[in-house]
Amino acid sequence: MLVVRPAGPADLIALKELAVLSGRGFTSLPENDDVLAERLALAEESFAGTVAPAEAWYTLMLEESDTGEVLGVAGVRAAVGLTRPHFSFRIVTLAQYSPAARTRFDHQALVLVNECGGWTEVGSLFVHPRLRGDGAGSLLARARYMLIGAEPIRFSHTVMAELRGWFDADDTSPFWEGVSSKFYRLPFEQADHMVTATDGQFILDLAPRHPIYVELIDRAASDAIGRVHRDGEAALALLEREGFERSGLVDIFDGGPTVTCARDTLATVRSGRTCRVKFGDVGSAPAALLSTATIADFRATRAAARVDGDTLAIAPATADALRLREGDLIRMSA
């Protein structure tokens, strides 16, 4: 059975393997032992509630319960942009009109902004390639919203997600080559590494101070603005089904889009309900997304369940996977 559980320091080797598999441009999974170890330590503290709620960063692992093999990772960051700015480019329209020439032009431009301060971010979603297409990605993605729905007060009213931007077949980013590299003048890998390994001050130090007119950018770079990486199309579809919409913000390095949704309108949060566990024969009952009702002991899976008034009947094996006993609270979503 596939189970989503909290990550901790013991997951460093597994997380590093997933980071290597994720490939170039997956900024939230750097191939850096120190950064990953810090994140896992913070995850442990976050689930334990020993850090301030706004500083929490919950990392979740997708595990095969029978073997203990880790096959995916996802994260929920309670609030971004508080201790350091969270920069993006906003796509804006600049209108220009000349009465004398009787001419009007609308120009699209990229403007550096810091609008996301305090928003909750869901990200780092990566599933081992051999599990893609069998529902594992959906389970892991939606487990993040079950986490948010368990204790909504810990999270912002606005939830965001940043998707990896487009890379060509030769693994180069047209947006980086055509736009951002002109200002940062670093190899993409070095700049990407510095995002997570430094305080990010270099982003502001070297960023463009004025709007960048899209018409002046080469075609390959402009076509990449807001375009999702081929490996991120399924993730975007999952986000859109959950209620996320494009925000008009794009990543300053690879041009990938930022999507947003109000916390309480997330489909999984809206459809969630809390019941008491009871053991029983679930027979031909449909499968549902199930999780524990608190963050401290959070676990999630997808299994057959039958609603019976204020109780939810599940198989003993499902209860074991979630580490629940009869009478405990459980959350479910269709």
Side-chain angles (χ1 to χ4, degrees):
M1 180 180 293
L2 291 176
V3 177
V4 179
R5 60 158 177 83
D11 292 308
L12 180 58
I13 293 175
L15 186 58
K16 178 66 178 295
E17 291 174 352
L18 293 173
V20 172
L21 284 172
S22 69
R24 194 174 188 225
F26 208 109
T27 306
S28 60
L29 279 181
E31 296 178 32
N32 183 298
D33 287 1
D34 292 338
V35 172
L36 295 178
E38 288 177 9
R39 186 167 304 170
L40 290 171
L42 178 56
E44 184 176 54
E45 294 171 352
S46 299
F47 282 104
T50 57
V51 296
E55 298 173 5
W57 193 341
Y58 307 94
T59 300
L60 298 167
M61 310 304 282
L62 179 68
E63 181 180 272
E64 171 52 63
S65 61
D66 292 338
T67 64
E69 183 181 9
V70 173
L71 296 166
V73 60
V76 181
R77 195 171 184 178
V80 302
L82 296 183
T83 58
R84 54 179 279 182
H86 189 93
F87 292 109
S88 308
F89 281 132
R90 174 162 288 285
I91 306 169
V92 300
T93 299
L94 304 176
Q96 294 179 275
Y97 175 69
S98 170
R102 297 180 180 178
T103 301
R104 173 194 168 103
F105 293 107
D106 287 343
H107 298 281
Q108 279 199 321
L110 301 173
V111 178
L112 188 74
V113 296
N114 175 28
E115 299 183 6
C116 305
W119 294 359
T120 291
E121 181 182 24
V122 293
S124 305
L125 178 65
F126 183 78
V127 174
H128 196 286
R130 78 168 186 264
L131 286 186
R132 290 176 187 168
D134 65 357
S138 176
L139 167 61
L140 186 53
R142 295 186 66 202
R144 300 175 301 184
Y145 315 127
M146 294 295 277
L147 180 82
I148 292 172
E151 299 183 45
I153 196 171
R154 294 199 189 194
F155 304 96
S156 168
H157 289 285
T158 301
V159 182
M160 61 175 281
E162 293 182 312
L163 290 122
R164 180 164 33 164
W166 180 257
F167 281 70
D168 287 337
D170 60 358
D171 210 23
T172 61
S173 166
F175 186 84
W176 171 262
E177 298 298 333
V179 180
S180 300
S181 67
K182 312 302 182 186
F183 298 95
Y184 293 98
R185 303 192 181 185
L186 298 167
F188 180 88
E189 289 83 358
Q190 183 179 351
D192 194 43
H193 169 74
M194 290 177 67
V195 171
T196 52
T198 73
D199 63 3
Q201 180 62 38
F202 82 101
I203 296 175
L204 183 59
D205 292 341
L206 302 177
R209 298 289 190 267
H210 305 286
I212 302 170
Y213 283 78
V214 173
E215 289 173 289
L216 302 180
I217 300 171
D218 72 68
R219 183 63 180 269
S222 63
D223 286 348
I225 296 173
R227 187 177 180 186
V228 178
H229 192 281
R230 61 185 66 80
D231 292 340
E233 292 174 353
L236 175 59
L238 290 173
L239 288 162
E240 289 174 337
R241 285 202 292 271
E242 200 65 36
F244 285 85
E245 297 179 341
R246 290 178 181 260
S247 65
L249 300 173
V250 299
D251 185 81
I252 62 172
F253 285 172
D254 63 22
T258 296
V259 295
T260 59
C261 184
R263 180 195 66 200
D264 297 335
T265 64
L266 289 163
T268 299
V269 173
R270 281 190 293 107
S271 66
R273 61 179 295 182
T274 303
C275 303
R276 293 283 178 183
V277 171
K278 76 172 183 179
F279 299 159
D281 180 13
V282 294
S284 59
L289 182 62
L290 309 172
S291 80
T292 55
T294 60
I295 285 178
D297 56 358
F298 185 81
R299 294 175 74 86
T301 192
R302 187 165 181 82
R306 178 171 47 82
V307 177
D308 184 8
D310 292 331
T311 63
L312 186 71
I314 59 175
T318 303
D320 288 343
L322 296 176
R323 297 182 180 174
L324 292 175
R325 296 174 296 181
E326 199 160 32
D328 286 345
L329 290 176
I330 186 171
R331 283 179 51 78
M332 71 164 291
S333 180

